[in-house]
Amino acid sequence: MNPQIPNSVIGAVASVIADHYYSHSKLDTLFMESGAPGDAPEGNCEKKCSYWLKRCNEDPQTDALEVLGAVIQEYMDQEPPSSLFDGPLSTKVTEGQARINAALAKNQLVYRSNGYVTKAGSTPITKTLEDYLRSGDFSSIEKEFERAIEHIQSDPHASVTASCSIIEATLKFYIESFDELGSV
């Protein structure tokens, strides 16, 4: 069973994202592109966000935390403004990011850049690879390898971290698989 989005996180995200985009068409596009199931719900912007996130929890085919990560990615990945451009809009974004992070932390979740929402203390790449290994989705594993190789020149530390996560997920899956059989 896929992890669900806690109600307190739904409330915080719905309020912050609805206020940030404040457009039904932008919200509809955001949720559809993020993989939220079904047609756009009725209601004001905040209710629309809330209903759609709850629908993600109810749909067994939807990874609710993955959709949540995609929905908040652009908002959460905004860089903190420099002090030269610090104004009411940048303060509002910083406060919104803090509100979402606090709601996630209250539920032992954490947002990581590029749209990953994971349990606190786990690495998003490892968890994703474990899921891919269990499902036999080896094309996705190949994409993780490509992602690790892609940044070798520009960010070698990130490439090493990604490679370590690939190895960790593979070995963890192997140990768990053979431990279930009583072979380890």
Side-chain angles (χ1 to χ4, degrees), residues 38-125:
D39 294 328
E42 296 295 320
N44 64 35
C45 289
E46 189 170 337
K47 283 184 181 180
K48 179 178 285 207
C49 292
S50 178
Y51 290 151
W52 227 327
L53 292 171
K54 288 177 183 177
R55 191 183 298 159
C56 291
N57 282 344
E58 296 165 358
D59 185 347
Q61 303 301 321
T62 301
D63 184 335
L65 292 182
E66 184 177 309
V67 173
L68 173 64
V71 166
I72 64 175
Q73 179 180 358
E74 183 179 322
Y75 185 83
M76 295 299 286
D77 286 350
Q78 292 181 60
E79 291 294 319
S82 68
S83 58
L84 294 176
F85 300 106
D86 201 17
L89 182 59
S90 62
T91 302
K92 190 174 184 180
V93 170
T94 303
E95 289 171 357
Q97 290 169 335
R99 183 174 175 194
I100 291 172
N101 280 326
L104 290 168
K106 179 179 173 186
N107 293 281
Q108 290 79 44
L109 296 170
V110 65
Y111 176 81
R112 301 192 191 278
S113 62
N114 297 320
Y116 289 105
V117 176
T118 62
K119 291 278 186 197
S122 69
T123 60
I125 294 172

Side-chain angles (χ1 to χ4, degrees), residues 123-134 141 144 162-177:
T123 60
I125 294 172
T126 301
K127 181 60 180 155
T128 303
L129 285 173
E130 285 179 51
D131 293 339
Y132 295 150
L133 287 166
R134 289 188 198 294
I141 296 170
E144 293 295 339
S163 300
C164 290
S165 295
I166 292 167
I167 293 167
E168 178 186 348
T170 304
L171 293 175
K172 188 173 184 181
F173 173 75
Y174 179 84
I175 290 168
E176 288 174 0
S177 297

